[in-house]
Amino acid sequence: MPTTGGDIRLERSHDGRVANLTLDHGRLNVVTMEMRALMAERFAEIDADDDVSVVVIRGDGDNFTSGGDIAGFMEVAPFDLTDLGHDITAPSRSPKPVIAAIDGYCFGVGLELVLSTDIRLATLRSSFALPEMKLGMMPGSGGTQRLSRLIGLSRAKYHILTGERISSQQALDWGLLATASEDKEALEAEVERVVSTLLGFSAVSLRTAKEVLDRGVDGPLATGVELERKSYAMLRATEDFAEGVAAFGEKRKPEFRNR
């Protein structure tokens, strides 16, 4: 497999309010070193675009991705790999909610990518794995830490140390997925449903809630609750908070201006 090539297409929909990222590199969408860096570039562009409220990541064709370009690891200096691992987790640092729409294989760096998103939706035929152990490696883009926090340390150790796959139904039962749809058509309908729901909310409150969830989950409960209280109080000063209260009292749909 080549160490360069491939693309992460960026297209906008819903009047520019949704940024759609598509992994595009052959039948298996192998993620090259070039694509890892491109992921960070795409998110830098998205994060700077105030019109974008929601991000969706997909794989082109029948598979999300079979994983990374294995040969390419030997062409990158060891320390430089830390940057590439950082790049692939750009969704976790985005202030905007990021949805992963997964169909087919989601292996290696692909699973690490979706673990760094906020909402994971998949088809029932999808499967997940961190198979690096089979190659004398280990996950290097957040896989050990994020998977253990999502499905528990015991399950994560089993699947990382053995490299065995996780079925879509298991992923759903264990909380790795939010939903699992019958097929790709149903998946896209579910993505649209979730996107439409999020677009109906204030982007300011979505951004604030994401930050509180991400920062609070790994700290002491008291610290997380304090962060939540102060963030709620901060939202009280926004125009969208006032609009939400007014709309509730007037029994109408709120018209948020994201400020």
Side-chain angles (χ1 to χ4, degrees):
M1 290 292 182
T3 59
T4 61
D7 192 15
I8 299 175
R9 301 199 310 269
L10 170 57
E11 300 165 310
R12 289 171 172 80
S13 62
H14 298 76
D15 296 323
R17 299 181 65 195
V18 178
N20 298 280
L21 292 175
T22 304
L23 304 177
D24 184 1
H25 191 202
R27 185 176 68 86
L28 297 176
N29 291 318
V30 173
V31 177
T32 62
M33 301 300 158
E34 191 174 62
M35 291 169 69
R36 288 171 179 258
L38 189 55
M39 180 65 70
E41 293 176 19
R42 293 288 189 246
F43 267 96
E45 180 179 347
I46 290 167
D47 293 347
D49 188 343
D50 292 337
D51 290 335
V52 174
S53 297
V54 180
V55 185
V56 182
I57 304 178
R58 300 175 175 85
D60 187 59
D62 295 331
N63 292 288
F64 188 78
T65 172
S66 64
D69 174 17
I70 304 304
F73 290 118
M74 300 307 296
E75 300 180 13
V76 180
F79 188 77
D80 290 342
L81 286 173
T82 63
D83 290 334
L84 293 171
H86 184 73
D87 289 346
I88 209 67
T89 58
S92 68
R93 298 183 297 279
S94 176
K96 305 173 186 194
V98 183
I99 299 169
I102 308 149
D103 183 42
Y105 296 151
C106 184
F107 298 160
V109 68
L111 178 51
E112 291 180 301
L113 172 63
V114 303
L115 287 172
S116 72
T117 65
D118 303 301
I119 298 173
R120 289 168 290 277
L121 313 174
T123 58
L124 282 170
R125 81 178 192 97
S126 300
S127 58
F128 307 82
L130 292 172
E132 290 85 350
M133 201 61 60
K134 298 177 181 181
L135 302 173
M137 305 176 182
M138 63 172 282
S141 300
T144 63
Q145 302 306 300
R146 288 193 167 92
L147 188 64
S148 59
R149 283 163 170 76
L150 275 171
I151 70 174
L153 184 58
S154 180
R155 287 171 176 155
K157 280 185 175 181
Y158 177 79
H159 284 279
I160 289 172
L161 297 181
T162 66
E164 289 193 16
R165 298 182 186 184
I166 300 171
S167 70
S168 195
Q169 187 60 57
Q170 284 176 311
L172 179 64
D173 293 342
W174 294 348
L176 195 158
L177 296 177
T179 67
S181 300
E182 191 67 32
D183 53 30
K184 196 165 185 177
E185 182 178 354
L187 170 63
E188 286 302 323
E190 179 66 5
V191 170
E192 180 60 28
R193 183 189 70 81
V194 176
V195 165
S196 296
T197 297
L198 296 179
L199 290 180
F201 298 151
S202 163
V204 178
S205 61
L206 284 172
R207 181 170 64 244
T208 304
K210 174 175 176 173
E211 183 174 10
V212 170
L213 285 161
D214 285 343
R215 293 184 179 275
V217 71
D218 289 330
L221 176 60
T223 301
V225 171
E226 180 70 12
L227 176 62
E228 178 187 272
R229 290 202 305 265
K230 290 182 176 178
S231 297
Y232 184 89
M234 181 199 71
L235 285 176
R236 166 63 177 80
T238 65
E239 292 181 20
D240 284 351
F241 190 110
E243 167 62 12
V245 172
F248 179 82
E250 297 166 11
K251 295 181 173 55
R252 59 175 174 81
K253 184 178 180 180
E255 298 181 4
F256 295 122
R257 297 183 178 180
N258 302 324
R259 58 192 185 194

